[in-house]
Amino acid sequence: MKILKFTALPFVAIALAFSACQESTTSQFEEHLTNNDTEILQYLEDNNIKNDRLAKGLYIEKVVEVDTVGMSSDEKEKITLENNEKIGIFYKITSLSGTLAGENLDENGNLPTTVERISSSSSNIVPTAVARAIEEMKFVGDEVNIYAASYYGYNDSDWTLEAKDADDGKAHRVAPGQTILANVKVEARYSDDQLEEFEKTSIEKYIKDEKLDKYDVKELPTGERIVTIEKGTGERPKTSEYVAMTYAGTLLDGAKFDASAKENDEGVVEENPFVFILGAGQVIKGWDECISQMTVGDSSVLIIPSSQAYGGARDKDGNQNSRIGPYILPEIMRKDLMNKGDITKLPPDAVLVFHVKFLGNRDDALKYRD
């Protein structure tokens, strides 16, 4: 084994170098934040926008504040937002110059994006400006505009919305360091039952939008949908036996998060079938449920509600351990990042879609093991 040798620097020299680097980085950050802050203040002044300052480079304009005067205590309680509860929001995010970064507006026929209302200090929602917006709102129906420095937005992200993906047919570019305007409206708060109903609606919309309803669609008692694209001629597998599958996993909006096909060292994509024991808890519950209903040779689309997938994806301390704020990132940018494998974690409470091919069971499945 080759041993690398390093020349030791005096501790004081290391400390001074680190300090200088830290001061340089801090001063650059402060300068950038100050420039963004100046830009926002000028914009607010030029447009005569009444606002409150939340922090340097972060300002809020209250567009709609729900008036609870005259409401009964029960009525007020129904719309009062609590921490650590699921809410549905509509949003539109642009640069101050008007470049569209992302939106989910009800006039486009979209459902509210489901997020968890938690404090900005513990949230990884991207951008932070949206988390702060949610934190500042008190009732369902509240709407705010957040004017934010890039530090609270997309920071140094640099991405382009291609013309074919833009509503106006023109290409748009969000440059690094751009300030943003985030319009956020709280549409609903969800109980577990309502969230389940919301998922069902989302799934039905996906099936219709993707024209999967022209195939045989089977709904399982646990909420999964099996869409049989091509029927196989093999047998149905039994619990505790090996099965082999190829798959590609996406979110409902098409963002890829995993696939059995992998790129080798030569850059060639190779299919690597996934082999596991059915019913042994080696996969998410939705897979065990769905694949037990399939036959060898089936090509199917499995649509799995979050309760049968990764749920809220909390760790043992109750903290979200898989949040990436995927719905708030610009859709094209997020899909691009996930498709390249730069984002590998799933959002909490995500409905998952798998395009699968059932290759074999028992000894036939074992042929595919490495």
Side-chain angles (χ1 to χ4, degrees), residues 144-268:
V144 303
N145 286 330
I146 292 281
Y147 302 86
S150 63
Y151 169 69
Y152 301 103
Y154 300 118
N155 214 350
D156 292 329
S157 300
D158 182 9
W159 63 281
T160 299
L161 179 66
E162 296 180 10
K164 65 182 179 65
D165 297 312
D167 292 337
D168 59 6
K170 299 178 181 178
H172 300 271
R173 178 171 179 267
V174 174
Q178 279 198 326
T179 50
I180 66 166
L181 163 57
N183 172 264
V184 184
K185 178 183 178 182
V186 179
E187 182 69 14
R189 54 186 297 204
Y190 297 118
S191 64
D192 289 342
D193 289 343
Q194 289 171 321
L195 192 58
E196 183 179 346
E197 189 61 36
F198 174 82
E199 282 195 353
K200 288 181 180 179
T201 304
S202 301
I203 290 171
E204 293 302 328
K205 183 176 186 296
Y206 176 83
I207 291 172
K208 182 178 179 181
D209 289 348
E210 297 299 314
K211 298 180 173 55
L212 295 176
D213 46 1
K214 67 181 180 182
Y215 299 103
D216 176 38
V217 181
K218 180 179 181 180
E219 181 177 356
L220 302 186
T222 41
E224 301 93 337
R225 308 297 202 284
I226 303 174
V227 184
T228 304
I229 307 300
E230 184 178 339
K231 188 64 179 173
T233 57
E235 62 182 353
R236 182 178 289 188
K238 295 181 174 60
T239 299
S240 300
E241 68 183 23
Y242 283 100
V243 294
M245 317 287 297
T246 59
Y247 68 91
T250 73
L251 302 180
L252 283 178
D253 61 12
K256 300 173 185 176
F257 62 86
D258 193 17
S260 55
K262 307 293 181 185
E263 188 175 294
N264 63 23
D265 295 338
E266 286 73 41
V268 177

Side-chain angles (χ1 to χ4, degrees), residues 32-48:
H32 184 71
L33 185 59
T34 298
N35 290 339
N36 277 181
D37 191 69
T38 301
E39 179 185 0
I40 295 170
L41 287 172
Q42 189 63 56
Y43 180 91
L44 294 171
E45 181 180 345
D46 291 346
N47 292 278
N48 195 29

Side-chain angles (χ1 to χ4, degrees), residues 2 13 39 45 65 70 74 108 138 170 191 214 234 251 253 267-268 271 273 277 282 292 308 310 315 345 352:
K2 186 177 181 179
E39 179 185 0
E45 181 180 345
E65 288 187 271
D74 288 343
N108 292 340
K138 298 178 180 178
K170 299 178 181 178
S191 64
K214 67 181 180 182
L251 302 180
D253 61 12
V268 177
E271 192 61 75
I277 300 174
Q282 295 180 346
S292 68
Q308 297 301 106
Y310 297 104
D315 62 22
K345 293 182 180 180
L352 305 183

Side-chain angles (χ1 to χ4, degrees), residues 102-116:
E103 65 178 342
N104 179 30
L105 302 179
D106 47 354
E107 53 261 37
N108 292 340
N110 293 323
L111 294 163
T113 290
T114 306
V115 296
E116 187 170 10

